[in-house]
Amino acid sequence: MFSVYDRSDYNTQKGLHTENVLDVLSHAGVKVLWRDNNSNSKGVADRVKYEHYKSSENNTMCEDECRDTGMLVGLDKLIEESDKDIVIVLHQMGNHGPAYYKRYPKEFEHFTPTCQTNQLEECSQEEIANAYDNALLYTDYFLSQTIRLLKKYENSIDTAMFYMADHGESLVEGGFYLHGLPYFIAPDAQIHVGSVLWLGKDFPVDREKLRKNSSHEFSQDNLFSTLLGLFDVETEVYDKKMDILKFTHL
């Protein structure tokens, strides 16, 4: 997702031996912070500041597992004290399966009955979908709290939130589970990803153009240049045609 290479041209070795968009932003003087409540950054954050939020050592919101909203704690102080542009990556635990029922606090169990095991074959499709939807509900809450934090500063600085999922998920449709199938045979449920872009009220962007482009089909390939565009970074690796904010629909 953070690589200059698109999906058709990417491989692991290229990814490991080529600087990613966070590296480029860092070279341009942007302060970069990666907070991780998942497994790790898979090498993406090896050269930027990295904070592990998978334990109570840093995360103040841990129950059976540490919650994504814990990554927001203290960011207001970080923003207020920074004298640079800053990009903060919040790597969620999100809706990762198969233990969907663990991905949200009990008060977010709106849809019932739910699958209460990671052995999905023991549950009905309704129970699996309900547990997943409750996890999505918690992700919605996490994003709303992120926006609420940014709104505090939108009168004094340009603020933006760019959310993008790394994969979709199969919930027993067609007999498939999770998201591990190779791309060329994976169903749409696994390769169609969710994405949300929120911009502060005075963020300098052509909003009418953005609205017109909103129905266009974008992909994770657009993340690299869109992040560079958000910070107005001038570099030869930036591609205006891949920047969602500058894209011109023909």
Side-chain angles (χ1 to χ4, degrees):
M1 288 172 62
F2 294 85
S3 172
V4 65
Y5 301 107
D6 60 26
R7 183 182 59 80
S8 62
D9 199 32
Y10 178 86
N11 63 52
T12 302
Q13 287 305 308
K14 281 183 176 180
L16 290 174
H17 294 94
T18 306
E19 290 191 330
N20 60 65
V21 67
L22 299 184
D23 296 315
V24 178
L25 288 167
S26 182
H27 294 323
V30 177
K31 185 176 181 179
V32 181
L33 170 63
W34 182 294
R35 286 190 170 181
D36 207 313
N37 194 39
N38 204 299
S39 52
N40 55 63
S41 75
K42 305 295 190 293
V44 178
D46 283 357
R47 294 167 294 278
V48 300
K49 186 176 181 181
Y50 178 93
E51 294 176 348
H52 185 68
Y53 269 69
K54 198 67 179 156
S55 75
S56 57
E57 183 178 349
N58 285 324
N59 196 329
T60 58
M61 297 184 182
C62 295
E63 304 165 330
D64 294 335
E65 66 175 43
C66 293
R67 299 301 177 197
D68 292 329
T69 48
M71 293 189 289
L72 299 175
V73 176
L75 288 187
D76 48 358
K77 181 180 179 182
L78 185 72
I79 293 170
E80 289 163 10
E81 293 180 349
S82 180
D83 58 355
K84 291 183 172 184
D85 288 345
I86 182 169
V87 58
I88 302 165
V89 181
L90 304 175
H91 187 200
Q92 289 178 268
M93 189 61 182
N95 317 317
H96 276 272
Y100 304 122
Y101 69 102
K102 290 185 177 181
R103 303 290 98 92
Y104 54 90
K106 190 67 177 177
E107 59 266 30
F108 284 83
E109 193 163 88
H110 178 78
F111 303 102
T112 58
T114 59
C115 181
Q116 293 289 312
T117 175
N118 60 6
Q119 303 299 313
L120 298 181
E121 68 278 4
E122 298 179 6
C123 298
S124 69
Q125 186 169 8
E126 179 189 16
E127 290 171 331
I128 295 169
N130 282 341
Y132 187 78
D133 285 347
N134 289 330
L136 279 178
L137 193 64
Y138 183 63
T139 286
D140 284 348
Y141 173 74
F142 170 72
L143 297 181
S144 74
Q145 292 302 104
T146 303
I147 292 171
R148 182 179 180 182
L149 172 71
L150 294 174
K151 273 182 170 289
K152 289 167 54 178
Y153 305 102
E154 64 177 350
N155 289 323
S156 56
I157 57 178
D158 295 329
T159 56
M161 181 195 75
F162 193 9
Y163 169 83
M164 185 177 285
D166 53 350
H167 54 74
E169 194 85 343
S170 286
L171 301 176
V172 202
E173 305 95 340
F176 296 120
Y177 296 83
L178 304 173
H179 54 266
L181 288 175
Y183 190 91
F184 71 97
I185 61 170
D188 285 346
Q190 294 187 25
I191 60 178
H192 184 82
V193 300
S195 186
V196 175
L197 174 63
W198 176 87
L199 301 170
K201 63 184 181 67
D202 294 323
F203 197 93
V205 66
D206 186 340
R207 293 171 189 266
E208 185 58 33
K209 182 177 182 180
L210 199 55
R211 275 190 286 269
K212 290 179 179 178
N213 289 339
S214 63
S215 60
H216 184 77
E217 188 172 297
F218 296 103
S219 77
Q220 293 168 339
D221 293 344
N222 295 97
L223 180 62
F224 186 93
S225 285
T226 301
L227 281 179
L228 293 179
L230 281 167
F231 287 91
D232 289 325
V233 174
E234 295 183 7
T235 168
E236 63 182 19
V237 293
Y238 169 76
D239 185 351
K240 183 178 179 180
K241 296 189 298 298
M242 295 298 288
D243 183 348
I244 293 173
L245 300 178
K246 305 293 196 317
F247 170 81
T248 300
H249 184 50
L250 300 178

